[in-house]
């Protein structure tokens, strides 16, 4: 189905069922948050998994997407779907510029450049109080009416919108990875000098993946802004960039479903471990260390390895 | 009347004070197999990297098919038809053997940024890819991940991938390095078949391979051209014997 392998189709069916059942069993806001972070993590995984680039600045696109959507919906009065589209576009646009700069460097230097560029965005967000609300963030964003007609005030209505965006994101990521473009990108990760020697301008492919990852981040940030009704500096900060990398590694780098599981675990930890206060970060760190030591492929990565099939 | 496909004049590369390649003038005739030999550290691989623009020359000019390519990017050099192999076998380990060859075939399909299209659209290259695999004796390994192939087969796959681009000039960097004797024989046969319609420049250590295959030889030592000519002439050159083959060969 849609080019998914049999095992992947089963996993997708399970995922759809979980998405349908979840709001009846869990607090819908938390599940929506999971889905937003999952979109974010799937995009980040495109960079980390398919071309092997570690970005430490993905929050820049996530936060910008949130700010743009929040601002346009609250201050300009756009409908929520336009806000999300604009948020995604803003993320992709920023990703085009930053990607063009960052892909000129490799490995740790690439990671450092992405981090530095993201910090610029962070401090710009601190200063640009007219747009971002500075320390206060953009608060109390009313979700408005989808297409100007369907009110999203109720969490269940909003849930349907987020679920559709999320599932579309899963299908889209799978398609990117399994497209002719995805094949080229995979080969670039395997052996970049060889791809150059075959006449491929590899930087352009890496740049394209960077833009796609930023697009996902922008859409995710914008959708989360609509769900929560608030965008703050933490959305654009380095901790969020680190968190999304953690999600990808925990779930399984280079897998379709891993980032989703990773996002669910990290968000659940933040939510259910909230009573521990600042200890959440310590616990997350410990879990991350156990993950790296015990199952390096991540949860879904490990399952896929055992089943000898891509997931 | 022969034509020159690749020509360098005064090609030099200095690494912070050390001159790895020193004013090398090469003329490679169309349709020949030209070997570049020399002791370790003579600058052969650096020369290859300069020609294919993986390194930027410090000085000198490179003309390929009469056009100056000194300032081009490596991918653009490859697009003009000068394609290199690597000393360490360069395959795409995560891709299947068939997909490895297809990667080269699909390059010129245009719009290779189509991330929205299914990779099923690549199956139209499968027949040509299979034909190329048959050429190098890998037809039964089409679905094997390239990482799982033996060393000799990886080299064969690399050649099949290169051939998929049908380049007029092929640069082979030690095609038989690290190979057992039967594999060497297979690669030599393959190279002999490859030469129809194209020019080959190769770096090679195995002198029996060089003597059996090449029409002309350039000997490099310390980044400079020491001698050039057919194997018989070069191998009798006293300067070459002392510098490269060692005094006990005299």
């Amino acid at each position: 189905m849609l080019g998914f392998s049999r095992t992947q189709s089963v996993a997708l069916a399970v995922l759809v069922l979980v998405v349908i059942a979840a709001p009846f069993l869990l607090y819908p806001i938390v599940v929506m948050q999971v889905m937003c972070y999952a979109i974010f993590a799937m995009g980040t995984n495109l960079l980390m998994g398919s071309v092997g680039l570690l970005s430490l600045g993905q929050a820049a696109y996530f936060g910008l997407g949130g700010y743009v959507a929040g601002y346009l919906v609250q201050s300009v009065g756009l409908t929520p779907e336009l806000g999300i589209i604009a948020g995604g576009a803003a993320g992709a646009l920023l990703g085009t510029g930053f990607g063009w700069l960052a892909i000129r460097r490799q490995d740790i230097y690439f990671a450092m450049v992405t981090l530095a560029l993201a910090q610029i965005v962070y401090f710009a967000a601190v200063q640009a109080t007219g747009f971002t609300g500075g320390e206060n963030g953009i608060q109390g964003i009313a979700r408005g009416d989808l297409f100007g007609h369907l009110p999203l005030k109720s969490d269940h209505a909003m849930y349907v919108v987020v679920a559709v965006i999320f599932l579309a994101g899963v299908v889209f990521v799978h398609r990117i990875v399994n497209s002719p473009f995805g094949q080229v990108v995979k080969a670039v990760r395997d052996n970049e000098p060889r791809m150059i020697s075959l006449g491929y301008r590899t930087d352009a492919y890496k740049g394209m993946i960077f833009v796609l990852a930023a697009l996902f981040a922008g859409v995710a940030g914008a959708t989360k802004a609509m769900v929560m009704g608030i965008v703050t500096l933490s959305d654009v900060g380095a901790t969020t960039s680190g968190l999304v990398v953690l999600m990808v590694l925990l779930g399984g780098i280079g897998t379709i479903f891993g980032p989703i599981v990773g996002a669910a675990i990290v968000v659940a930890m933040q939510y259910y471990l909230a009573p521990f206060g600042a200890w959440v970060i310590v616990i997350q760190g410990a879990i991350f260390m156990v993950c790296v030591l015990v199952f390096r492929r991540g949860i879904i990565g490990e399952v896929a390895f055992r089943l000898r099939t891509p997931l | 009347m022969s034509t020159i496909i690749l020509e360098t004049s005064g090609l030099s590369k200095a690494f912070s004070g050390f001159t790895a390649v020193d004013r090398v003038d090469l003329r490679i005739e169309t349709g020949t197999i030209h070997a570049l030999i020399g002791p370790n550290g003579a600058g052969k691989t650096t020369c290859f990297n300069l020609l294919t623009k993986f390194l930027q020359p410090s000085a000198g000019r490179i003309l390929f098919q009469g056009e100056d390519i000194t300032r081009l990017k490596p991918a653009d050099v490859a697009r003009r038809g000068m394609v290199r192999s690597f000393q360490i076998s360069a395959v795409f380990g995560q891709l299947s053997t068939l997909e490895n060859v297809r990667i080269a075939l699909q390059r010129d399909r245009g719009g290779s940024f189509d991330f929205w299209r299914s990779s099923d659209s690549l199956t139209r290259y499968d027949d040509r890819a299979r034909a190329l695999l048959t050429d190098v004796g890998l037809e039964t390994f089409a679905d094997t991940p390239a990482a799982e192939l033996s060393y000799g087969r990886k080299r064969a796959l690399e050649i099949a991938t290169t051939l998929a681009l049908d380049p007029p000039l092929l640069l082979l960097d030690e095609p038989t390095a690290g190979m057992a004797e039967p594999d060497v024989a297979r690669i030599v046969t393959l190279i002999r078949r490859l030469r129809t319609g194209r020019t080959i420049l190769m770096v090679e250590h195995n002198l029996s391979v060089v003597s059996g295959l090449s029409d002309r030889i350039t000997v490099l030592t310390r980044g400079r051209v020491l001698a050039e000519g057919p194997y018989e002439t070069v191998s009798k050159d006293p300067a070459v014997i002392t510098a490269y083959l060692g005094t006990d060969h005299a």
Side-chain angles (χ1 to χ4, degrees), chain B residues 2-7 26-30 63-66:
Chain B
S2 58
T3 55
I4 303 297
I5 187 164
L6 182 71
E7 184 176 3
L26 282 176
R27 285 162 72 85
I28 315 295
E29 282 178 26
T30 309
L63 295 178
F64 176 58
Q65 292 176 329

Side-chain angles (χ1 to χ4, degrees), chain A residues 46-57:
Chain A
L46 279 178
L47 265 177
M48 293 173 66
S50 51
V51 33
L53 288 171
L54 173 64
S55 162
L56 295 178

Side-chain angles (χ1 to χ4, degrees), chain A residues 2-307:
Chain A
L2 291 165
F4 282 79
S5 75
R6 186 176 298 175
T7 335
Q8 284 176 331
S9 300
V10 172
L12 185 63
V14 171
L15 181 67
V16 172
L17 288 178
V18 169
V19 168
I20 293 169
F24 301 103
L25 304 169
L26 301 161
Y27 188 35
I29 290 280
V30 177
V31 186
M32 283 192 272
Q33 239 184 317
V34 168
M35 289 194 281
C36 291
Y37 278 108
I39 297 168
F40 187 17
M42 286 190 291
T44 306
N45 187 36
L46 279 178
L47 265 177
M48 293 173 66
S50 51
V51 33
L53 288 171
L54 173 64
S55 162
L56 295 178
Q58 289 306 101
Y61 320 103
F62 182 76
L64 181 71
Y67 281 128
V68 166
Y71 180 82
L72 290 178
V73 170
Q74 190 175 56
S75 304
V76 182
L78 288 193
T79 51
E81 77 284 353
L82 290 178
I84 291 171
I85 291 168
L93 202 64
L94 185 64
T96 309
F98 282 8
W100 183 76
L101 288 169
I103 50 156
R104 289 150 188 271
R105 292 289 170 269
Q106 309 274 339
D107 308 319
I108 190 71
Y109 305 102
F110 171 84
M112 289 298 118
V113 171
T114 54
L115 176 62
L117 292 170
Q119 286 305 98
I120 294 173
V121 174
Y122 176 81
F123 287 107
V126 173
Q127 295 297 324
T129 46
F131 172 56
T132 64
E135 298 282 349
N136 298 322
I138 304 177
Q139 295 187 23
I141 307 161
R143 287 174 191 161
D145 304 332
L146 189 69
F147 307 120
H149 292 291
L150 301 162
L152 296 177
K153 204 161 185 307
S154 96
D155 283 347
H156 286 284
M158 189 68 211
Y159 188 90
V160 175
V161 175
V162 178
V164 167
I165 297 173
F166 164 65
L167 290 172
V170 177
V171 173
F172 187 35
V173 160
H174 179 270
R175 173 44 54 90
I176 293 170
V177 172
N178 292 288
S179 67
F181 168 75
Q183 282 271 320
V184 173
V185 167
K186 225 189 285 181
V188 170
R189 179 200 54 193
D190 267 7
N191 196 332
E192 188 173 351
R194 178 57 171 160
M195 277 307 261
I196 295 172
S197 82
L198 292 177
Y200 279 97
R201 297 175 182 118
T202 54
D203 279 355
Y205 289 86
K206 291 199 273 186
M208 187 74 200
I209 281 284
F210 198 97
V211 172
L212 288 168
L215 170 71
F216 272 81
V219 169
T223 311
K224 181 172 161 286
M226 293 300 105
V227 171
M228 308 304 287
I230 179 170
V231 189
T232 66
L233 282 175
S234 86
D235 290 323
V236 75
T239 317
T240 302
S241 293
L243 219 51
V244 75
V245 170
L246 178 64
M247 290 172 188
V248 174
L249 292 175
L250 210 53
I253 191 169
T255 62
I256 300 288
F257 297 96
I260 304 167
V261 172
I265 293 172
V266 172
V267 173
M269 276 198 301
Q270 284 190 325
Y271 188 73
Y272 293 105
L273 300 180
F276 293 97
W279 284 96
V280 175
I281 294 174
V282 178
I283 298 169
Q284 270 175 357
I287 290 177
F288 177 60
M289 272 157 50
V290 169
C291 175
V292 168
L293 290 172
V294 181
F295 44 97
R296 293 193 146 197
R297 295 179 186 89
I299 295 165
I300 293 296
E302 195 67 34
V303 173
F305 178 73
R306 293 275 158 82
L307 296 176

Side-chain angles (χ1 to χ4, degrees), chain A residues 178 190 198-201 205, chain B residues 76 79 94 103 107 112 119:
Chain A
N178 292 288
D190 267 7
L198 292 177
Y200 279 97
R201 297 175 182 118
Y205 289 86
Chain B
D76 296 318
R79 280 168 178 263
Q94 309 279 319
I103 277 289
R107 189 194 76 197
S112 49
S119 52

Side-chain angles (χ1 to χ4, degrees), chain B residues 2-191:
Chain B
S2 58
T3 55
I4 303 297
I5 187 164
L6 182 71
E7 184 176 3
T8 70
S9 50
L11 191 65
S12 305
K13 179 69 185 177
F15 296 104
S16 51
F18 169 70
T19 309
V21 173
D22 193 5
R23 286 162 286 164
V24 166
D25 300 325
L26 282 176
R27 285 162 72 85
I28 315 295
E29 282 178 26
T30 309
T32 58
I33 297 186
H34 196 122
L36 208 54
I37 65 170
N40 282 328
K44 306 180 298 282
T45 297
T46 309
C47 224
F48 256 41
N49 284 332
L50 291 173
L51 293 175
T52 49
K53 302 311 314 298
F54 275 71
L55 286 173
Q56 185 60 38
S58 314
R61 284 205 329 155
I62 309 166
L63 295 178
F64 176 58
Q65 292 176 329
E67 287 176 65
D68 193 330
I69 60 159
T70 319
R71 299 277 146 202
L72 287 188
K73 289 203 162 78
D76 296 318
V77 170
R79 280 168 178 263
R80 291 195 177 209
M82 173 172 14
V83 178
R84 69 172 296 183
S85 74
F86 290 84
Q87 227 172 80
I88 348 139
S89 76
V91 297
F92 305 109
Q94 309 279 319
L95 304 185
S96 77
T97 302
L98 185 76
E99 285 170 336
N100 263 268
V101 179
R102 225 165 55 177
I103 277 289
L105 289 173
Q106 75 186 68
R107 189 194 76 197
D108 285 322
R109 55 196 286 280
S112 49
F113 289 93
D114 42 359
F115 51 77
W116 57 87
R117 197 169 288 154
S118 163
S119 52
D120 292 347
S121 57
L122 292 175
T123 49
R124 63 191 164 104
Y125 295 103
D126 283 1
D127 289 344
R128 268 175 70 202
R130 268 178 221 285
L132 284 159
L133 285 180
T134 311
D135 272 354
V136 299
L138 287 175
E139 65 277 16
T140 50
F141 297 95
D143 298 319
T144 312
E148 292 173 19
L149 294 176
S150 71
Y151 184 75
R153 292 201 172 103
K154 275 186 190 147
R155 302 295 317 228
L157 173 59
E158 196 193 333
I159 290 177
T161 308
T162 308
L163 284 183
L165 297 175
D166 198 18
L169 178 59
L170 205 57
L171 271 61
L172 302 174
D173 197 353
E174 298 197 32
T176 67
M179 271 189 194
E181 209 44 53
D183 281 339
V184 171
R186 200 163 66 199
I187 295 291
V188 167
T189 322
L190 196 58
I191 294 174

